[in-house]
């Protein structure tokens, strides 16, 4: 199970590229609405949730959570007790966390990026704690995957697939989507 959390003001591309690629890779991906069942993105696109944040199950079936950026979506995600619980669960149970754009700041505020390579939307580097903010399109530091922003959303999504299924699966999907 993979949860992609959406809160009002999320960045649509950063949310839907991972949902699409991970579903193509065969994963059970649930769009989780934080505070609503229909969530309006930062560019006025409304996405329906598969379940609400109150309905998530934090158990061994969970493989990854994904936190898209966007404003005020990132702030709304960070304010959610359920999102915070999901992050804690992933850290405690060695599960993957993907965060893109402004969302790595949530992990930075928790000290989860300290001493790790990480990337984020330009201007949010000071919100990453004592991470090594590289400015790279995507960074993988153990079970935490961070990405710069909307322009690298597909690369981020493909990296998530690679982290879960391996480099060969990532390469096959990259070719299938004609990314290279």
């Amino acid at each position: 199970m993979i949860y992609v959390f959406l809160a009002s003001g999320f960045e649509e591309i950063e949310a839907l590229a991972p949902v699409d690629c991970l579903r193509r890779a065969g994963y059970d991906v649930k769009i989780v609405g934080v505070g609503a069942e229909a969530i309006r993105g930062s560019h006025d696109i409304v996405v329906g949730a598969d379940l609400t944040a109150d309905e998530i199950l934090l158990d061994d079936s969970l493989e990854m959570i994904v936190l898209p950026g966007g404003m005020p979506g990132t702030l709304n995600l960070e304010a959610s007790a359920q999102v915070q619980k999901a992050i804690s669960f992933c850290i405690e149970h060695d599960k993957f966390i993907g965060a893109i754009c402004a969302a790595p700041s949530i992990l930075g505020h928790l000290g989860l990026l300290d001493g790790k390579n990480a990337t984020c939307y330009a201007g949010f580097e000071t919100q990453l704690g004592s991470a090594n903010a590289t400015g790279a399109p995507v960074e993988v530091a153990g079970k935490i995957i961070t990405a710069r922003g909307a322009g690298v959303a597909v690369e981020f999504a493909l990296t998530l697939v690679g982290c879960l299924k391996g480099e060969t699966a990532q390469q096959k999907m990259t070719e299938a989507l004609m990314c290279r």
Side-chain angles (χ1 to χ4, degrees), residues 145-158:
I145 304 97
T146 55
R148 205 170 46 210
V152 299
V154 172
E155 183 176 349
F156 172 63
L158 292 168

Side-chain angles (χ1 to χ4, degrees), residues 62-82:
L62 181 64
E63 296 182 70
M64 173 185 283
I65 64 169
V66 179
L67 307 172
M71 282 299 177
T74 296
L75 300 175
N76 293 329
L77 288 178
E78 188 166 20
S80 166
Q82 292 87 351

Side-chain angles (χ1 to χ4, degrees), residues 85-100:
K85 286 177 190 174
I87 292 169
S88 294
F89 179 86
C90 287
I91 294 300
E92 291 167 11
H93 294 90
D94 200 32
K95 307 291 184 175
F96 287 103
I97 300 173
I100 184 170

Side-chain angles (χ1 to χ4, degrees), residues 46-147:
V46 177
V47 175
D50 297 310
L51 58 145
T52 67
D54 292 329
E55 297 172 311
I56 65 170
L57 296 175
L58 299 176
D59 61 23
D60 286 338
S61 69
L62 181 64
E63 296 182 70
M64 173 185 283
I65 64 169
V66 179
L67 307 172
M71 282 299 177
T74 296
L75 300 175
N76 293 329
L77 288 178
E78 188 166 20
S80 166
Q82 292 87 351
V83 171
Q84 293 291 334
K85 286 177 190 174
I87 292 169
S88 294
F89 179 86
C90 287
I91 294 300
E92 291 167 11
H93 294 90
D94 200 32
K95 307 291 184 175
F96 287 103
I97 300 173
I100 184 170
C101 192
S105 67
I106 299 169
L107 307 177
H109 296 156
L110 294 170
L112 300 176
L113 301 176
D114 292 350
K116 295 178 169 75
N117 286 349
T119 192
C120 62
Y121 189 77
F124 279 82
E125 296 86 357
T126 60
Q127 303 299 309
L128 301 183
S130 64
N132 175 32
T134 67
V138 179
E139 285 287 353
V140 178
K143 295 284 179 118
I144 297 177
I145 304 97
T146 55

